[in-house]
Amino acid sequence: MDKFKAIFLAEAEELMVDLEKALLDFEQDLHNDHPVKEIFRIMHTLKGGGSMFGFEHVSSLTHDLETIYDGIREKKITPTKEILEVTLTTVDHLKKILHDPMLEEREHQLQQEIQRNKIKALLGDVKVVVAVAPEKPKELSTYYVLIEPIATIFKNGTNPLYLVDDVTALGEAFVMPDLSAIPTWAELQGDVCYTQFEIALATERPASEINDVFIFAEELCKVTVQLLAQENLLAHPAFLQPLQQKSLHAPGLGYDGMKALADALRTTAEDENTNAAKVNTKTTTGEKRKETSIRVSSDKLEELMNLVSELVTSQAQLSMIAGSNTIAALAGLSENMEKITRRLRDNAFSICLVPIETLVTRFQRLVRDLSKDLQKEISFTASGTETELDKSIIDTLSDPLLHIIRNSLDHGIESPSERLKNNKPAKGTIHLHAFHAGTHVYIQLKDDGKGIDPEKIRKKAIERGLLSPQATPSQKEILDFIFAAGFSTAEKITDVSGRGVGMDVVRRNIEAIHGEVSIESELGKGTIITLKLPLTLSIIDGMRVRVGNSDYIIPLSYVEKCFEMPTAKIKAEVIQRHVLDGELLPVINLHEAFHEPAPDQPITQIIKLKYAQFPVAITIDAIVGEYQAVMKPLGDLYQGQDEFSGATILGDGSVALVIDTDKLVHQLIVQQEKSLSYSH
Amino acid sequence: MSSETLSIQSYLTFRLGDEYFAASVAQVSEILELSRITKVPRSPHFMRGVINLRGNVLPVIDTRIKFGFDKIEDNVNTCIMVLNVEIENQTISIGALVDAVQEVIEIDPSTIQQPPSIGAKYKTEFIEGMIQMNEHFIMLLNLNLVFNTEEMSILQHVAEEKN
Amino acid sequence: MKLSIKARLIAAFTVLVALSGAIFYLGNSNANVLNDRINSIVDLNVTRLMLAAKASEDIQFITKREKELILTKNIDDVHDYIKMIEDRAADMTARIDQLKGMSDEKGIEILENFSASWTAYQKVYAKVKTLSLTNTDSTADAAFRLSSSEGREAAMGAVSALAKIVKKNENALALAKTEADQVYADARTNMITLLIIAVAISIGLSYWIITSISKSIQQAKVAIKSISEGDLTITVENTTHDEVGELVDYLKNMIEKLKEVLTFVSTASDHIATASSQMSSTSQQMSQGSQEQAASAEEISSSMEQMVSNIQQNTDNAQQTEKIASKAADDIQEGSRSVNQTVDSMKKIAEKISIIGEIARQTNLLALNAAVEAARAGDHGKGFAVVAAEVRKLAERSQVAAAEINELSSSSVSIADKSGKLLEQIVPNIQSTSKLVQEISASSIEQNTGANQVNTAIQQFNQIIQQNAAASEEMATGSEELSSQAEHLRETISFFKIDKTHSAAQRASASKSRATAPQPLKTVSKVNSSRKGIAIDMSTNGHADALDNAYEKY
């Protein structure tokens, strides 16, 4: 039972997130049906699960809330800000009592009572509303439904007539089959569907319900549902007559044709019609996004990832064996295995990819609550939230992003009065924009606040002894001080931010996942903080090279070009300069740097690398080939050696180190400079 | 995972040259045969490199060097003890390369003697105690400290010289 | 008389032939005269007779038809008769013309008479014909009168002319007969005279020829008769010079020659007898020598065979040795192989043992891991810890045992290796021995072959000697035969009687002494000079004995 309870808890926590999101959506547009349904669904699930697993207090609260939202859904209750406020506080309370189902803590008991009363009060109000509600007339609308079954629909065993029946069951309908596409006898194929159906349907149900009929036949036919009029057109003989006269073999009237008929009847209702149509299409898209899914614990996912990694490794081993043997069947099998493994790996990785959306919901609530606390009017918007990232990265991102948003709320966005003074709308905005670029995902957080005053930072930096008063750093360099440890410019410390443990932690966290963070700001206009993140942590496309007896992986993203050079020309120095490709480049003698003997072949391979400031080349023995490296951490013992970002298991089971060439080059250069300065 | 909580007096004895040591079994996760060790360039001398432990990377420390023995060629008896040690409040796995693993012994705590503070080869903080078994002394090691230190050697005199 | 028989015969026959010719000519010319007479009779007189007879017949026919013409009343018949009469008249005219061609003057004169009569008749006939054509009774009477008057007269004239011709020719025929009789009588008289003359001449000539030939032949006959009786002592005298005379001359020569030949043959046969007896003795000696030679060859051959068998034995022994040696080499190689296999197996055992050692080591490690695990499990793991310790001990023990086995097997391997090497070293020695023995064997075989060849050669040689001996014996026999043949020859020619001087000279030079020979003492002693004084009979006998003895001696 405990096990099921744990499952319920995990599910409930996620439902809470969804619920919050739906509530916030609802708050944006009180007339939107969709969030209401979502809220109702979640309440219902929580109620059911709660009573089943012994969370009675949870279920009693959700039961009452469910009643309210059912009313809203049925348009019996008018949604209000108050209802929303109560719901949100209840949700907060529910989150707490999920971990204290028996209300052992006094505080929880009290809160439970408060919430109950609030909801009861709401329900009391509702009753009044309900009393008024029955007077609402039953509204009929007429829709134009076009069903275009795909030619091969019969092969799937689907009878399109059943679909038509289902549609007509929704209300009063006039069905016009369109047989114009049926070819002559000679060309007729028995198993191809040539018929389309046009239906004029008068119903009180929304367009989404008509769409729902086709939920299981989405791929089997194209369905167009369009509103003709918000009344029963079929009651008008002037509308019906032309339809009845239409020949079965004449081409369909189409929406436009019927619309013309409808318009002829009622020319006045145009505006309303289009509005309604908009709403309907919106709903349709909203519903379509639903996908069936199952819940899997992240531990299992992690294990799956590990197993996939091992499979990839074993597969590499198999490929190696297949390559060294001349068994054609084995080679074929191995190639096939490789394909499957690659797909499995990509699939497994994609399983671990999570849309950023999950983060965003949390921030919406945060912004809403905090702005209330700070008495600021701030809206939080997000775009590109469908961008996916590795779950582990998402988990790591949560805290840094929170920090950044808090900073924006606290220090960035001004108070409404201040904003109005500066000719800005009273309502400030924070916008999160996520997007893909190459093998990286970028997350930008943009506010239209007051920006960062570089002068302030300069002062602070000088105050902290991080900058000499004489120095004239560039604006970028000054802004970079924000990421220095214990650096805060906030004049007063609030409980939201300003404790000075912020941006430095942000940078450290981001860098830990091989990401980068940068900041741009314009005084008075706003600030943009950009995070550059790798898609995934666990796999890189690399080039496998040999230096001495060991193989190393260099990420392909660093590699620019490969050269050759006579070994004799290479000096026994770690850093030297050579002209490569008509360009004088610093060349790092990797053999020297790794204390390996120089290669005993006449030609040494050289790889030109991208490096932060300028291109750099390194010497290696040989390029073994491209390699997809499953990254494994080197472990804490090698923490100091960040020139190796990890290791990977090669086909033969041995370990190859993954070189972070940026860091390696940097270290070697620093080392060189140090040794030079010592020698002076 | 720490030895205090488990309070087990079972130790795994191992040999380095002709000296015998013991590690609390609570911290020993397994004993491996020697496999191919990948050298990590630019790492301290006693860091032998890394090996593939069932798909994970395990750092291997050459205990001989750490304990001030001369480097010798590996042989069939050379083993890697996989140890769980606590470093900066994090339990991490490391491999310790030893000449030979002997056996698991149970030690009555009362028989544990304090290591001699003077004239001992190793710094006292690394040795939890020692016992006599047959004709040799076995030194019970404080693994957390032994492998935590960034210092290259745990030898007494070397440390003194440094200080 | 110098004329040869041939000439005489030719002369005689020529005379006889000339006489015969004369007789024939006479007869022939008489016959010719006769023939000419007969021819003229037949050719002229007879033909004239026949033509005249025919013509008279024609006239009779014509007159007869004229009568019928006159008589007939049928006009068609008239025409037919007219035609018949005219056709016959044409035929008769042709016959008269032919007769005219072969008539003499007198005949032509008669014919003129005939023609005049005929012409007269023709005129009558023409009138008759015209009258007949009119064909009336009156005309018929007229015609009849005409024809029986004028016509009859004319026709009679013609026929009488023709009868004159016949008469004339019959007279000519009677004249010719008398002439022929006269010719025949003359010819017979001439021929008889001639015949008598011829017979007389022939008889004379025959006598002359016969008497001349028979005298010479008589002489030759006498001489040949004497030769046939073996008497060559006769003398032949020739008297004539004709062919028979020549024959007698040649006969005389022949007798002389025969005498010479016989004398020579007699001498030669004596010589042959001597030579053949000499040859006989020599060949007997030769035969003896051959026998001796054959005996020695036999001896060599048997020694040779002895040698061959010795060599064969050597060869056999060498081969046996070689077999043994190679068997030994094989055995040793097999042994070496076995040792090598043993070494391999031991090495494999050592490998396996090292695997066991490896397994024991791993087990040890596993047991250690188990012990660690058990120790960490605290009290719960106690039992398991004991088991792990036991397992570890066992693993250790098997490790030790494996090490020991390994050591043992490696020492065994080295021992086996060593023995294998030793064996391998022996192998080449034995192989070289085997090779040497092989060589010996091979040379023995060669020797054997050589000796066999020598033996064969000797055998062949022996055979030839034997053949020689046989041949010389045959030769001795042959010479005996020859001498007897020579004797026989002498006996044969003794049939002929020759002059004494002649034969004595011949004999002294060639003949062997014979008991029958009266005085050949000197010659015999010349031949058998070593035995002077011994009687001729004795000498021949003695010689024969000596030959016999010598023959028997072989």
Side-chain angles (χ1 to χ4, degrees):
Chain A
M1 200 62 191
D2 283 349
K3 196 173 148 199
F4 294 119
K5 235 178 203 173
I7 291 172
F8 170 72
L9 273 176
E11 199 186 339
E13 267 168 22
E14 287 219 350
L15 286 171
M16 293 294 180
V17 175
D18 291 348
L19 183 57
E20 272 187 328
K21 186 181 182 303
L23 283 168
L24 293 170
D25 281 353
F26 188 46
E27 193 180 24
Q28 298 290 315
D29 181 6
L30 287 175
H31 303 286
N32 192 342
D33 274 357
H34 181 61
V36 179
K37 276 188 213 153
E38 182 73 13
I39 293 162
F40 177 77
R41 185 185 66 80
I42 295 167
M43 293 291 188
H44 190 77
T45 315
L46 277 173
K47 186 185 81 177
S51 57
M52 193 185 288
F53 296 106
F55 295 86
E56 270 148 36
H57 298 288
V58 173
S59 63
S60 70
L61 281 180
T62 45
H63 173 73
D64 291 345
L65 283 172
E66 191 193 344
T67 317
I68 295 171
Y69 283 93
D70 190 35
I72 296 171
R73 197 170 65 120
E74 300 288 322
K75 310 261 193 249
K76 289 170 189 160
I77 298 171
T78 323
T80 60
K81 287 260 175 194
E82 202 191 347
I83 294 174
L84 262 174
E85 195 59 47
V86 172
T87 317
L88 280 169
T89 52
T90 314
V91 168
D92 284 346
H93 173 66
L94 284 174
K95 277 185 190 166
K96 283 177 195 154
I97 65 168
L98 273 176
H99 299 284
D100 182 16
M102 294 305 145
L103 302 183
E104 278 158 6
E105 279 186 41
R106 179 84 191 130
E107 193 189 325
H108 292 162
Q109 280 180 14
L110 286 172
Q111 188 66 31
Q112 176 82 6
E113 276 311 303
I114 293 166
Q115 295 302 334
R116 256 186 103 88
N117 291 334
K118 277 187 184 170
I119 295 164
K120 290 273 187 250
L122 282 176
L123 276 172
D125 289 347
V126 163
K127 265 170 199 149
V128 184
V129 183
V130 168
V132 187
E135 287 190 9
K136 276 205 168 179
K138 205 172 162 192
E139 263 183 38
L140 275 174
S141 298
T142 307
Y143 292 96
Y144 167 76
V145 183
L146 174 65
I147 304 169
E148 301 170 68
I150 58 165
T152 55
I153 188 165
F154 297 136
K155 287 182 182 162
N156 289 296
T158 307
N159 186 346
L161 287 177
Y162 294 154
L163 295 171
V164 175
D165 284 353
D166 285 353
V167 173
T168 53
L170 292 172
E172 194 185 342
F174 185 82
V175 183
M176 290 174 287
D178 179 1
L179 308 177
S180 59
I182 295 177
T184 59
W185 264 109
E187 290 160 30
L188 193 73
Q189 282 174 275
D191 55 355
V192 173
C193 176
Y194 298 101
T195 319
Q196 300 181 357
F197 300 94
E198 279 179 306
I199 303 167
L201 176 70
T203 176
E204 60 201 291
R205 315 282 175 93
S208 61
E209 278 203 48
I210 304 172
N211 275 314
D212 283 353
V213 168
F214 302 99
I215 247 166
F216 299 108
E218 267 173 347
E219 281 145 25
L220 300 177
C221 49
K222 199 177 145 205
V223 178
T224 317
V225 178
Q226 279 168 305
L227 188 75
L228 287 170
Q230 284 186 320
E231 61 167 316
N232 187 0
L233 291 172
L234 295 175
H236 298 273
F239 177 77
L240 206 55
Q241 214 168 349
L243 301 184
Q244 284 164 339
Q245 283 163 358
K246 181 195 163 275
S247 154
L248 282 181
H249 294 280
L253 292 171
Y255 172 71
D256 294 336
M258 273 202 210
K259 182 77 183 153
L261 284 173
D263 287 351
L265 277 174
R266 299 275 296 220
T267 46
T268 46
E270 249 174 32
D271 289 329
E272 284 175 43
N273 284 349
T274 40
N275 280 345
K278 257 186 207 160
V279 171
N280 281 324
T281 41
K282 213 172 166 186
T283 331
T284 311
T285 50
E287 299 244 319
K288 262 189 187 165
R289 218 172 43 212
K290 259 188 195 162
E291 280 171 14
T292 55
S293 60
I294 54 155
R295 305 180 55 77
V296 180
S297 81
S298 52
D299 282 353
K300 279 186 181 168
L301 267 187
E302 211 162 284
E303 200 179 337
L304 173 70
M305 286 313 296
N306 278 339
L307 287 174
V308 168
S309 299
E310 286 213 29
L311 183 65
V312 169
T313 311
S314 304
Q315 205 286 316
Q317 223 158 338
L318 179 67
S319 292
M320 200 175 71
I321 291 164
S324 60
N325 286 292
T326 48
I327 306 165
L330 180 62
L333 195 66
S334 144
E335 264 173 45
N336 207 17
M337 272 285 290
E338 194 172 340
K339 268 182 227 156
I340 295 168
T341 312
R342 204 176 279 261
R343 280 177 57 190
L344 177 64
R345 191 202 64 204
D346 292 349
N347 227 319
F349 279 123
S350 75
I351 289 172
C352 292
L353 293 180
V354 178
I356 290 170
E357 199 174 356
T358 51
L359 276 176
V360 172
T361 316
R362 247 188 275 178
F363 302 145
Q364 274 176 330
R365 181 75 199 278
L366 176 89
V367 172
R368 184 185 172 280
D369 293 355
L370 273 182
S371 56
K372 226 170 221 179
D373 287 357
L374 294 168
Q375 287 163 352
K376 290 178 181 176
E377 279 182 48
I378 299 165
S379 79
F380 178 79
T381 55
S383 59
T385 52
E386 72 280 357
T387 310
E388 288 181 318
L389 265 173
D390 195 289
K391 192 175 183 303
S392 57
I393 295 178
I394 295 267
D395 290 348
T396 333
L397 271 183
S398 175
D399 282 347
L401 282 176
L402 265 178
H403 273 291
I404 293 166
I405 292 169
R406 262 188 213 158
N407 272 332
S408 284
L409 285 169
D410 204 357
H411 311 303
I413 311 272
E414 314 90 329
S415 62
S417 54
E418 207 174 323
R419 287 180 69 86
L420 286 170
K421 235 192 276 171
N422 290 334
N423 281 333
K424 286 183 182 177
K427 199 169 187 179
T429 52
I430 296 175
H431 184 73
L432 184 146
H433 179 52
F435 60 96
H436 244 120
T439 54
H440 287 90
V441 166
Y442 291 83
I443 299 178
Q444 275 184 344
L445 280 159
K446 187 176 168 187
D447 69 50
D448 62 348
K450 60 188 172 203
I452 299 167
D453 187 353
E455 199 48 41
K456 269 188 191 168
I457 293 170
R458 218 174 87 90
K459 272 188 203 157
K460 192 94 181 176
I462 294 166
E463 201 179 292
R464 293 252 160 164
L466 296 167
L467 186 73
S468 69
Q470 293 81 27
T472 50
S474 70
Q475 185 170 347
K476 192 177 180 321
E477 280 169 310
I478 290 170
L479 289 177
D480 265 357
F481 279 113
I482 287 186
F483 298 112
F487 195 96
S488 174
T489 57
E491 273 130 49
K492 63 171 188 242
I493 291 168
T494 67
D495 62 340
V496 176
S497 65
R499 273 185 292 262
V501 282
M503 295 312 275
D504 61 328
V505 179
V506 168
R507 171 168 273 193
R508 208 198 299 160
N509 284 354
I510 299 295
E511 283 180 352
I513 54 172
H514 304 110
E516 286 166 26
V517 57
S518 61
I519 186 164
E520 289 166 61
S521 180
E522 203 177 328
L523 194 60
K525 290 262 176 77
T527 308
I528 302 172
I529 292 174
T530 308
L531 307 182
K532 182 185 172 192
L533 302 160
L535 260 181
T536 166
L537 290 178
S538 46
I539 199 143
I540 59 157
D541 277 317
M543 183 180 269
R544 183 173 166 190
V545 300
R546 184 160 296 144
V547 181
N549 287 324
S550 307
D551 283 7
Y552 297 90
I553 307 290
I554 297 173
L556 265 186
S557 51
Y558 289 125
V559 177
E560 210 157 70
K561 203 171 177 185
C562 301
F563 298 93
E564 282 181 351
M565 191 187 271
T567 308
K569 276 180 78 179
I570 295 162
K571 290 164 267 179
E573 288 167 18
V574 173
I575 299 177
Q576 44 200 295
R577 274 166 199 282
H578 290 284
V579 176
L580 290 169
D581 222 4
E583 199 181 353
L584 187 65
L585 288 182
V587 173
I588 289 170
N589 187 342
L590 215 56
H591 298 87
E592 199 65 28
F594 286 180
H595 306 291
E596 293 277 2
D600 59 354
Q601 62 220 25
I603 296 291
T604 296
Q605 302 275 336
I606 307 265
I607 296 180
K608 184 177 167 188
L609 300 169
K610 288 174 203 151
Y611 178 57
Q613 285 89 21
F614 44 84
V616 172
I618 57 166
T619 67
I620 53 160
D621 281 2
I623 295 166
V624 181
E626 271 187 42
Y627 195 83
Q628 288 218 322
V630 178
M631 292 284 280
K632 304 280 179 183
L634 266 187
D636 289 354
L637 278 186
Y638 291 103
Q639 233 173 17
Q641 289 192 270
D642 55 5
E643 67 264 42
F644 300 113
S645 52
T648 190
I649 313 295
L650 293 180
D652 61 357
S654 65
V655 179
L657 299 171
V658 179
I659 303 176
D660 184 333
T661 52
D662 257 3
K663 296 215 167 84
L664 176 68
V665 171
H666 178 73
Q667 279 186 13
L668 290 171
I669 289 170
V670 168
Q671 194 181 318
Q672 175 102 347
E673 279 166 0
K674 262 189 200 159
S675 67
L676 283 176
S677 62
Y678 284 145
S679 63
H680 280 310
Chain B
M1 255 298 190
S2 71
S3 53
E4 289 90 1
T5 53
L6 278 166
S7 72
I8 290 169
Q9 283 85 39
S10 287
Y11 283 83
L12 178 69
T13 63
F14 60 92
R15 183 173 62 78
L16 290 174
D18 49 7
E19 286 183 35
Y20 292 83
F21 301 88
S24 168
V25 290
Q27 284 183 276
V28 180
S29 77
E30 63 183 304
I31 302 147
L32 301 174
E33 274 186 80
L34 188 62
S35 57
R36 207 188 136 189
I37 300 176
T38 301
K39 199 179 92 176
V40 178
R42 298 155 57 77
S43 59
H45 199 39
F46 64 85
M47 301 286 279
R48 186 64 173 267
V50 290
I51 60 164
N52 164 19
L53 175 62
R54 289 189 292 278
N56 286 311
V57 176
L58 181 78
V60 176
I61 287 170
D62 193 336
T63 322
R64 279 188 74 92
I65 295 169
K66 186 92 177 166
F67 281 40
F69 289 88
D70 293 329
K71 195 175 161 63
I72 57 160
E73 281 295 307
D74 298 328
N75 60 47
V76 286
N77 286 321
T78 312
C79 290
I80 297 169
M81 293 196 298
V82 182
L83 305 174
N84 297 312
V85 295
E86 255 181 52
I87 294 173
E88 289 174 0
N89 294 325
Q90 265 190 305
T91 304
I92 61 163
S93 286
I94 60 158
L97 196 74
V98 296
D99 285 0
V101 177
Q102 300 301 113
E103 59 187 319
V104 178
I105 52 169
E106 284 188 14
I107 297 171
D108 184 352
S110 61
T111 61
I112 299 176
Q113 304 162 19
Q114 280 307 303
S117 51
I118 297 162
K121 192 176 166 189
Y122 307 107
K123 289 189 206 164
T124 41
E125 61 260 41
F126 298 126
I127 311 294
E128 283 183 340
M130 54 195 290
I131 58 157
Q132 195 172 5
M133 207 178 200
N134 302 331
E135 62 268 27
H136 15 258
F137 280 99
I138 298 173
M139 272 166 275
L140 312 181
L141 295 173
N142 182 338
L143 297 176
N144 290 346
L145 285 176
V146 167
F147 293 106
N148 194 0
T149 176
E150 301 255 314
E151 283 174 48
M152 194 180 139
S153 174
I154 61 164
L155 294 181
Q156 185 81 51
H157 62 278
V158 177
E160 274 169 5
E161 272 170 27
K162 267 207 167 175
N163 290 343
Chain C
M1 251 214 338
K2 291 279 182 189
L3 278 172
S4 69
I5 295 170
K6 189 171 136 190
R8 270 181 275 179
L9 283 173
I10 289 167
F13 279 114
T14 308
V15 172
L16 284 175
V17 166
L19 283 172
S20 307
I23 294 165
F24 171 75
Y25 178 74
L26 202 62
N28 193 38
S29 62
N30 289 340
N32 268 342
V33 173
L34 279 173
N35 192 36
D36 283 347
R37 292 287 161 96
I38 290 164
N39 272 349
S40 74
I41 293 166
V42 172
D43 285 351
L44 284 171
N45 300 0
V46 173
T47 308
R48 272 179 222 152
L49 269 175
M50 275 182 65
L51 285 171
K54 244 349 182 167
S56 75
E57 197 186 322
D58 288 337
I59 289 164
Q60 276 171 3
F61 180 83
I62 288 165
T63 53
K64 210 173 171 198
R65 291 295 169 267
E66 192 187 33
K67 300 292 182 292
E68 281 172 6
L69 175 69
I70 295 163
L71 289 176
T72 193
K73 302 281 196 252
N74 189 344
I75 195 74
D76 289 338
D77 289 343
V78 172
H79 285 292
D80 282 346
Y81 289 135
I82 290 169
K83 194 170 185 291
M84 270 181 213
I85 292 163
E86 282 175 2
D87 284 350
R88 199 70 178 239
D91 284 350
M92 196 197 67
T93 316
R95 271 177 204 119
I96 294 302
D97 288 342
Q98 195 184 356
L99 190 62
K100 215 182 255 177
M102 56 194 348
S103 293
D104 50 14
E105 276 171 33
K106 202 162 177 198
I108 289 170
E109 198 183 309
I110 299 166
L111 277 173
E112 289 295 331
N113 292 338
F114 170 78
S115 292
S117 307
W118 181 252
T119 311
Y121 179 75
Q122 281 289 68
K123 278 174 191 163
V124 176
Y125 169 69
K127 279 173 194 167
V128 171
K129 187 178 139 187
T130 314
L131 290 174
S132 294
L133 281 168
T134 317
N135 203 15
T136 54
D137 289 339
S138 60
T139 51
D141 282 338
F144 182 73
R145 268 173 330 245
L146 202 59
S147 111
S148 50
S149 59
E150 284 170 52
R152 190 179 173 109
E153 203 178 315
M156 285 317 274
V159 169
S160 69
L162 286 172
K164 271 180 206 163
I165 291 169
V166 170
K167 190 87 185 176
K168 182 189 162 239
N169 277 306
E170 274 169 355
N171 293 341
L173 278 172
L175 187 73
K177 190 191 174 253
T178 47
E179 275 173 10
D181 285 345
Q182 185 64 46
V183 170
Y184 170 71
D186 291 350
R188 201 171 64 169
T189 314
N190 290 344
M191 278 180 72
I192 287 165
T193 314
L194 206 58
L195 188 64
I196 291 162
I197 298 162
V199 168
I201 293 167
S202 299
I203 290 165
L205 279 171
S206 301
Y207 181 75
W208 173 59
I209 290 166
I210 291 164
T211 49
S212 72
I213 292 169
S214 82
K215 193 185 164 194
S216 301
I217 288 173
Q218 188 61 38
Q219 275 182 320
K221 189 193 87 181
V222 171
I224 287 167
K225 190 176 171 252
S226 144
I227 291 165
S228 74
E229 282 162 357
D231 186 6
L232 299 176
T233 52
I234 54 147
T235 47
V236 179
E237 289 304 324
N238 190 20
T239 50
T240 57
H241 300 285
D242 59 1
E243 280 95 331
V244 179
E246 270 174 55
L247 187 74
V248 172
D249 279 349
Y250 292 139
L251 194 65
K252 198 174 147 190
N253 285 353
M254 191 181 80
I255 289 165
E256 282 308 304
K257 281 286 169 192
L258 263 175
K259 276 181 195 163
E260 260 173 57
V261 167
L262 283 171
T263 316
F264 185 77
V265 167
S266 173
T267 322
S269 68
D270 279 354
H271 281 303
I272 289 167
T274 317
S276 68
S277 68
Q278 272 178 352
M279 199 164 78
S280 171
S281 92
T282 315
S283 61
Q284 278 191 3
Q285 276 174 357
M286 206 163 82
S287 171
Q288 197 179 355
S290 293
Q291 299 271 2
E292 277 169 28
Q293 221 177 12
S296 331
E298 202 77 42
E299 241 170 276
I300 294 169
S301 172
S302 76
S303 319
M304 213 55 212
E305 257 161 32
Q306 185 79 22
M307 197 167 89
V308 166
S309 82
N310 285 343
I311 291 169
Q312 184 63 46
Q313 203 167 347
N314 273 357
T315 313
D316 288 351
N317 288 343
Q319 276 172 339
Q320 194 72 19
T321 316
E322 185 215 320
K323 266 181 207 153
I324 291 165
S326 64
K327 178 89 165 50
D330 285 352
D331 287 351
I332 286 170
Q333 261 172 340
E334 183 65 38
S336 166
R337 253 202 299 278
S338 306
V339 170
N340 279 340
Q341 277 174 355
T342 313
V343 170
D344 283 351
S345 308
M346 279 187 167
K347 276 180 186 159
K348 270 183 199 153
I349 291 171
E351 265 169 46
K352 297 279 179 298
I353 293 292
S354 68
I355 292 170
I356 291 174
E358 180 68 21
I359 292 168
R361 207 175 50 71
Q362 285 177 351
T363 314
N364 191 9
L365 208 60
L366 209 63
L368 265 177
N369 272 321
V372 170
E373 208 65 51
R376 278 202 305 207
D379 280 346
H380 299 291
K382 273 266 162 62
F384 189 64
V386 174
V387 176
E390 285 299 315
V391 171
R392 206 177 68 79
K393 270 180 205 146
L394 282 176
E396 247 168 20
R397 267 166 62 193
S398 37
Q399 225 174 328
V400 170
E404 276 170 15
I405 294 171
N406 219 348
E407 207 167 302
L408 278 176
S409 64
S410 64
S411 75
S412 310
V413 162
S414 72
I415 290 164
D417 241 349
K418 202 174 167 190
S419 44
K421 273 188 192 120
L422 283 174
L423 279 177
E424 268 167 19
Q425 278 171 354
I426 294 169
V427 168
N429 290 341
I430 286 183
Q431 271 174 340
S432 67
T433 312
S434 169
K435 206 172 260 175
L436 284 175
V437 173
Q438 255 176 10
E439 276 169 33
I440 292 170
S441 162
S443 47
S444 287
I445 288 168
E446 266 175 52
Q447 229 171 18
N448 196 5
T449 320
N452 266 328
Q453 280 172 347
V454 171
N455 203 6
T456 316
I458 289 169
Q459 301 264 14
Q460 282 175 347
F461 185 52
N462 197 7
Q463 221 168 344
I464 290 162
I465 292 168
Q466 301 272 22
Q467 280 174 354
N468 278 353
S472 50
E473 259 173 51
E474 263 175 50
M475 207 153 81
T477 323
S479 54
E480 281 294 300
E481 179 74 12
L482 192 65
S483 98
S484 85
Q485 289 295 331
E487 188 61 30
H488 194 65
L489 184 67
R490 215 156 36 185
E491 273 172 24
T492 310
I493 57 167
S494 67
F495 167 73
F496 293 101
K497 280 179 230 150
I498 317 165
D499 293 350
K500 272 148 200 165
T501 52
H502 206 115
S503 91
Q506 300 294 324
R507 278 178 194 207
S509 67
S511 171
K512 259 191 199 167
S513 58
R514 296 286 302 190
T516 50
Q519 73 266 87
L521 241 176
K522 258 197 292 186
T523 46
V524 168
S525 67
K526 233 190 241 170
V527 174
N528 296 318
S529 53
S530 55
R531 306 181 184 184
K532 48 187 161 175
I534 295 171
I536 300 159
D537 284 348
M538 284 303 289
S539 85
T540 40
N541 288 337
H543 190 223
D545 285 349
L547 281 172
D548 285 348
N549 290 343
Y551 184 77
E552 277 161 9
K553 203 178 158 191
Y554 294 121

